[in-house]
Amino acid sequence: MTAIDFPPARRRAASTTADHGISAHRVIGWLWISPILLGLASTLVYPTLFLVALALSKSTLGKPFRSFVGLRHVRDVLQDPLFVTSLTKSIAYAFITASTQLAIGFLIALLFSQLLKAGRFLVSLILLPLMTPPVMVGVAWKLILAPAGGLLNGVLLNLGIVDAPVSFLGDPVFAWFAIAVADVWQWTPFVVILSFAALSTIPEGVHEASIIDGASPLQRFWHITLPLVAAPLSSIYLLKLILSFKVFDLVYVLTFGGPGFATTTTGFSIYRRALEQFDVARAAAETLIYSLVIGAVLWPVIRIHQHLERKDA
């Protein structure tokens, strides 16, 4: 049996028709994604190019792009010990608070998931800190930690634990601890909600079968629950890490970067450089370096997350 051999003219016509069909299909495809491309160009590409241009030029808040200075601002930023210190503190703060919130949030979600219907009600109830604006959270914790008339100092004095009011926000260590506690208080419910949703996806039959097989609660947790929610938990951890790198409101309200520069995060340093000293070129250079450092620090976490997702699929 031989294949049908069409004349050359018919083959060219069929090929041209197919090419036109593919071209029209591609045009329609580009039209569908054009709003997304325009959105990315206006919210990602343009601000990035603007930021790079600012970092490479002599610019102030009122007069940007006065002259080209090359990498001078980048070199100055890397040689600034205060910026390097703030960078180190921001990274440590992000990992500590994100890990703490994931641990506490997941344990609470695990507890709520054992309560069946009551768990959903408690998850809704725990949303209150998350709905509070970050500035209000900072003000509330500032009142709690105030040395004069603060709730915590009043409790410690009444219990006889301290003889005189403690200035929590005036001590470098306690000030960081206060910011972290306020952060954990506000964002742990966010982790609880997402963890509870992840736990809800585990089929009930899996646990029932393991109970019949005689598995203990600890064995069920390590060998069933944790592996089944590992991928969603890595997503939650990655998201919370990114949010922790952006901490600003609590630092602004609680300590304003002090005492001294003790609690100055990189985000707060950029704010002061741009809107207090009006050195937007230097602030742009700090922002670029901070973005690159965040990308480098998050890369291992992203790789672990991708590995867990592939394993889960």
Side-chain angles (χ1 to χ4, degrees), residues 50-310:
F50 191 83
L51 197 66
V52 172
L54 280 177
L56 300 178
S57 64
K58 184 179 181 181
S59 301
T60 61
L61 194 61
K63 295 181 179 179
F65 315 123
R66 294 170 64 184
S67 61
F68 179 75
V69 298
L71 296 175
R72 192 181 74 187
H73 294 307
V74 175
R75 186 180 62 247
D76 292 343
V77 168
L78 293 175
Q79 293 175 348
D80 185 355
L82 288 178
F83 176 79
V84 175
T85 304
S86 73
L87 205 57
T88 307
K89 290 177 179 176
S90 296
I91 295 171
Y93 175 85
F95 275 95
I96 291 172
T97 54
S99 302
T100 305
Q101 289 166 16
L102 183 68
I104 297 174
F106 180 62
L107 288 176
I108 294 174
L110 198 62
L111 176 64
F112 286 176
S113 67
Q114 305 298 319
L115 301 175
L116 299 177
K117 293 181 180 179
R120 298 184 185 279
F121 170 73
L122 292 172
V123 168
S124 304
L125 193 64
I126 206 172
L127 278 172
L128 183 60
L130 195 59
M131 291 188 292
T132 307
V135 174
M136 292 304 298
V137 173
V139 171
W141 278 94
K142 196 166 188 175
L143 293 174
I144 292 172
L145 299 171
L151 175 64
L152 183 57
N153 269 303
V155 172
L156 294 177
L157 287 170
N158 288 332
L159 294 176
I161 298 175
V162 295
D163 298 327
V166 180
S167 177
F168 293 104
L169 300 178
D171 181 87
V173 177
F174 282 137
W176 269 116
F177 188 70
I179 295 171
V181 169
D183 197 340
V184 169
W185 181 82
Q186 184 183 17
W187 285 104
T188 297
F190 175 72
V191 179
V192 172
I193 293 168
L194 297 181
S195 300
F196 187 82
L199 290 168
S200 301
T201 61
I202 300 176
E204 294 182 5
V206 175
H207 283 298
E208 291 173 356
S210 64
I211 292 172
I212 293 173
D213 289 341
S216 66
L218 189 59
Q219 288 175 325
R220 293 202 299 273
F221 174 76
W222 281 112
H223 299 294
I224 297 176
T225 303
L226 202 54
L228 288 177
V229 298
L233 285 183
S234 67
S235 301
I236 298 168
Y237 185 62
L238 181 60
L239 183 59
K240 191 61 205 66
L241 261 181
I242 295 171
L243 291 173
S244 293
F245 276 116
K246 294 168 59 180
V247 63
F248 175 80
D249 312 73
L250 294 175
V251 175
Y252 183 91
V253 176
L254 281 174
T255 63
F256 205 73
F261 293 95
T263 59
T264 298
T265 59
T266 306
F268 191 72
S269 170
I270 294 170
Y271 157 77
R272 298 189 76 167
R273 184 75 66 182
L275 299 180
E276 285 189 353
Q277 303 172 12
F278 306 123
D279 190 355
V280 294
R282 177 74 178 267
E286 291 186 358
T287 305
L288 283 176
I289 293 172
Y290 191 37
S291 303
L292 293 174
V293 169
I294 290 176
V297 169
L298 290 181
W299 185 79
V301 183
I302 293 172
R303 295 290 296 173
I304 293 171
H305 167 64
Q306 291 173 339
H307 171 72
L308 291 172
E309 278 200 328
R310 284 195 296 269

